[in-house]
Amino acid sequence: MQRPLLFTPLKLRGVTAPNRCVVSPMVQYRATDGQVNDFHLVHLGKFALGKFGIVFTENCAVEPRGRVTQGDLGLWDDGQIEGHKRLVRFLKQEGSLAGTQITHSGRKGSTPRSFDKPGQLGPEGAGWQRWQVVGPSELAAGEGYVTPKQLSTEEIEGLVTKFGEAARRADAAGYDVIEIHGAHGYLLAQFLSSISNKRNDQYGGDRAGRMRFPLAAAHAVREGWPAHKPMFIRVSTVDGAGGWEVEDTVAFAQQLKALGIDVVDCSSGGLTGLSTALPVKRALGFQVPFSAAVKRQAGIATMTVGLILDGPQAEQILQAGDADLIAIGRQALYDPFWALHAAQELGCDGDFEMWTPEYGWWLEKRKNNLPK
């Protein structure tokens, strides 16, 4: 029987993902001062036990004011490296590639955590407000958001350097894969969209001007990241507001490929308001056409994400050539063993051999008593 593509290894530069199942970066808001703690080890470690090929952390800010909330992880200081090292050791010990995502929130910074209530933040929240929210232009992300200060040319150049420094720290921590977050209305996406970027200098105006800062940040990360390690970038293939469309992403991806970026992670929406996807219409696999368009038209590997629920659905996407990797988000939270269950659905792990040995032994002995 031919092995499903979903469980065929994928070589990316000098590293090899054991399968095409990826845990998508998902914010958890449990950090203090950007530091990895026990929560992150347990939260992400269970996905490595579940045998995902690549496990990504949530986004890590490149500077303190680049956090979306005060609970976000960071890679802005060398003192944060040791905590990341501990996490990376466990993920790799269990056979997964360890990935991290770096970002800057831009005008979406200083946001309460999703589970906070008004007035709940207390002294830490009051302190958080001292970080000035910044963006490409003085335009708020929506009702209830702070109006950002427009970044100066010198500040933009400084942020390019900070992206490169964050990549160096990620390498020092031992990560195998790095991804830039250029989607969902965060700073790089804000520069790309004509809705949020109204600048009249070299970082605004036409598409080439609006791409200048994101491309410079990508170049700095590639320069600060070892040549044998792959680099991804997450994009909103369409911003959902009419300021950035598929053809823009294809042009952007072609330039990213020339810079040495290996995979475009195709998401959508999120330029304005709290949601990362609205107003893009959601349905099963709703972002797969974006991934397929970028893969074929830009000639670059892609990762797709969004309402992919089981192994057969994921396999069909890969067999059609619409993506090279499958990122699982909420479904992985619901089922940390999603990848292993997908393998069973696709008929390539009937005897629980892919499971970590301690689990597999018990399950194989009791498989006749397990629910079908």
Side-chain angles (χ1 to χ4, degrees):
M1 178 180 176
Q2 186 176 1
R3 194 166 188 80
L5 276 178
L6 189 61
F7 293 98
T8 301
L10 179 65
K11 184 174 174 58
L12 298 162
R13 292 189 180 246
V15 302
T16 300
N19 58 58
R20 314 295 180 94
C21 308
V22 180
V23 175
S24 189
M26 291 178 282
V27 289
Q28 298 296 307
Y29 315 120
R30 291 289 291 270
T32 301
D33 297 326
Q35 295 280 1
V36 172
N37 57 41
D38 289 349
F39 172 83
H40 302 98
L41 179 66
V42 175
H43 163 62
L44 294 166
K46 66 179 182 287
F47 301 126
L49 290 173
K51 301 306 174 186
F52 279 88
I54 306 175
V55 178
F56 273 103
T57 71
E58 64 188 79
N59 58 53
C60 299
V62 302
E63 65 171 359
R65 69 178 178 178
R67 292 174 292 172
V68 181
T69 80
Q70 81 273 25
D72 292 4
L73 285 176
L75 274 169
W76 67 76
D77 186 89
D78 286 356
Q80 294 163 332
I81 295 172
E82 195 58 40
H84 283 276
K85 279 185 176 179
R86 180 184 177 218
L87 172 60
V88 167
R89 280 194 298 269
F90 185 81
L91 297 179
K92 294 167 82 164
Q93 168 190 306
E94 297 302 321
S96 298
L97 294 184
T100 193
Q101 186 189 66
I102 57 175
T103 193
H104 194 294
S105 59
R107 67 181 189 173
K108 281 191 168 182
S110 193
T111 302
R113 295 167 296 186
S114 60
F115 46 77
D116 284 324
K117 297 177 182 178
Q120 190 179 16
L121 298 183
E124 183 184 8
W128 168 251
Q129 299 303 319
R130 75 178 184 273
W131 298 107
Q132 190 169 24
V133 178
V134 296
S137 304
E138 293 186 355
L139 295 169
E143 185 178 353
Y145 281 92
V146 176
T147 299
K149 179 181 80 71
Q150 179 170 307
L151 286 163
S152 68
T153 300
E154 293 73 23
E155 287 175 311
I156 292 171
E157 292 169 350
L159 284 173
V160 169
T161 300
K162 289 178 179 180
F163 271 94
E165 290 172 344
R168 175 185 60 79
R169 294 185 186 103
D171 178 50
Y175 285 106
D176 301 297
V177 186
I178 196 168
E179 177 174 277
I180 293 178
H181 198 344
H184 300 164
Y186 299 129
L187 186 62
L188 299 188
Q190 293 161 27
F191 270 83
L192 291 173
S193 177
S194 62
I195 302 297
S196 47
N197 184 348
K198 301 296 185 181
R199 302 176 73 96
N200 56 13
D201 62 5
Q202 67 266 41
Y203 293 107
D206 62 9
R207 185 170 67 194
R210 288 181 277 117
M211 291 195 304
R212 193 179 308 277
F213 169 44
L215 287 171
H219 177 69
V221 172
R222 185 70 270 181
E223 289 292 302
W225 188 242
H228 71 280
K229 293 184 178 183
M231 177 178 162
F232 293 24
I233 185 167
R234 172 164 278 192
V235 297
S236 281
T237 317
V238 297
D239 65 13
W244 186 261
E245 302 293 349
V246 173
E247 57 268 26
D248 299 309
T249 296
V250 169
F252 186 42
Q254 289 169 337
Q255 295 206 37
L256 291 166
K257 181 181 179 181
L259 290 176
I261 281 64
D262 302 285
V263 176
V264 178
D265 177 2
C266 297
S267 188
S268 63
L271 184 68
T272 60
L274 293 172
S275 173
T276 59
L278 293 174
V280 179
K281 187 176 180 180
R282 297 171 67 85
L284 290 180
F286 68 105
Q287 292 172 146
V288 172
F290 301 144
S291 171
V294 174
K295 178 178 169 65
R296 293 187 174 94
Q297 294 176 41
I300 192 169
T302 59
M303 180 161 72
T304 192
V305 63
L307 288 179
I308 299 169
L309 303 185
D310 58 29
Q313 182 191 3
E315 180 68 11
Q316 184 178 25
I317 293 165
L318 296 175
Q319 289 288 348
D322 291 340
D324 300 275
L325 290 156
I326 304 292
I328 305 298
R330 291 174 178 86
Q331 203 67 13
L333 297 178
Y334 180 72
D335 178 11
F337 296 102
W338 185 94
L340 291 167
H341 291 147
Q344 293 183 325
E345 291 164 349
L346 293 169
C348 59
D349 188 39
D351 293 325
F352 299 92
E353 293 177 353
M354 292 176 61
W355 295 64
T356 192
E358 297 82 358
Y359 289 16
W361 183 86
W362 282 101
L363 292 170
E364 199 281 330
K365 295 295 182 185
R366 302 290 184 270
K367 64 182 179 182
N368 292 330
N369 298 324
L370 293 174
K372 299 295 188 288

